[in-house]
Amino acid sequence: QHGDRDRDSRHGQSRLESGGVTMIACPHCSRDIEGFLNEQAKGRLALVENVVTEIRRAGDDRLLEILRSHNRVVDAGLRLIPDLIDVTAGGISHFRVGTSNTAVADNQTDLVAGVYQNVVSQRVKGNFFVTHRCFIPAQSANGNTLREAGLFNALTGGTMFSRVTHDDIAKTVAITVTHSWTHSFARG
């Protein structure tokens, strides 16, 4: 069954309801990543990024909704890539969320209207990708309408690697929010 609201303006998506869980299916985002990377291999490095945001009910952790967005690696983030490869330098360690829906631009160095920051909750590294999961607990960022998020190499200040804007999330004590950034690297 298709839902009545498209949560991604870039792709034709459908919302699927199953057992009380809303899943969003996007032909672009749900493609087999290895096949996609092989298809894109053309002799130069390409960076493929996606952000998945989970909204869960506090208390029982029931998944209420999933949003899929595409972030942009800003200029400062591109300059940070060599440091990410060098394990002695400071890589992505923190995230911030905010309330602005100002379009993402390459020259941005921070969120437009940040309201909460914390350490990255989990990192998963594969052969051609790295995922950073960023958890906002029920007791944090309440009373704000979240519209933006970013990855950084410090709690305050530091370098913003990437930023994303997404549909409004009215943050209350009744929900938790997890942003999961997956940055995939390919020849392309």
Side-chain angles (χ1 to χ4, degrees):
Q1 157 184 359
H2 291 284
D4 59 349
R5 192 163 129 186
D6 185 338
R7 300 289 289 200
D8 184 333
S9 60
R10 182 174 165 202
H11 301 291
Q13 294 183 344
S14 60
R15 292 176 60 178
L16 308 173
E17 303 283 338
S18 175
V21 175
T22 302
M23 297 295 291
I24 298 179
C26 172
H28 173 76
C29 299
S30 61
R31 293 172 61 185
D32 170 66
I33 190 67
E34 186 174 344
F36 174 74
L37 294 175
N38 288 335
E39 176 184 312
Q40 296 299 312
K42 303 276 187 225
R44 63 184 171 95
L45 182 65
L47 179 63
V48 181
E49 60 273 345
N50 288 294
V51 180
V52 177
T53 304
E54 297 177 2
I55 303 168
R56 294 181 177 270
R57 186 168 56 201
D60 66 3
D61 204 34
R62 179 176 166 236
L63 182 63
L64 300 175
E65 190 167 7
I66 295 176
L67 308 178
R68 294 189 187 277
S69 308
H70 293 277
N71 78 177
R72 176 179 292 199
V73 176
V74 296
D75 289 343
L78 291 174
R79 288 189 294 274
L80 185 62
I81 289 176
D83 291 337
L84 298 175
I85 295 168
D86 178 2
V87 296
T88 63
I92 295 170
S93 57
H94 292 79
F95 73 98
R96 300 176 195 158
V97 295
T99 59
S100 176
N101 61 0
T102 299
V104 178
D106 289 336
N107 64 347
Q108 293 170 334
T109 59
D110 203 348
L111 297 185
V112 176
V115 295
Y116 177 79
Q117 61 275 333
N118 208 339
V119 297
V120 169
S121 308
Q122 180 185 33
R123 286 173 204 79
V124 177
K125 188 176 85 165
N127 288 332
F128 299 106
F129 72 92
V130 62
T131 297
H132 294 87
R133 292 178 54 85
C134 305
F135 179 72
I136 305 168
Q139 68 273 19
S140 298
N142 293 318
N144 292 292
T145 301
L146 305 180
R147 297 181 180 105
E148 63 177 332
L151 291 175
F152 295 82
N153 68 346
L155 182 63
T156 59
T159 301
M160 179 168 68
F161 180 74
S162 63
R163 178 174 175 258
V164 65
T165 58
H166 52 70
D167 290 344
D168 293 1
I169 300 171
K171 182 63 178 77
T172 69
V173 71
I175 64 171
T176 64
V177 177
T178 302
H179 288 85
S180 297
W181 273 266
T182 298
H183 292 95
S184 303
F185 301 90
R187 289 184 178 90

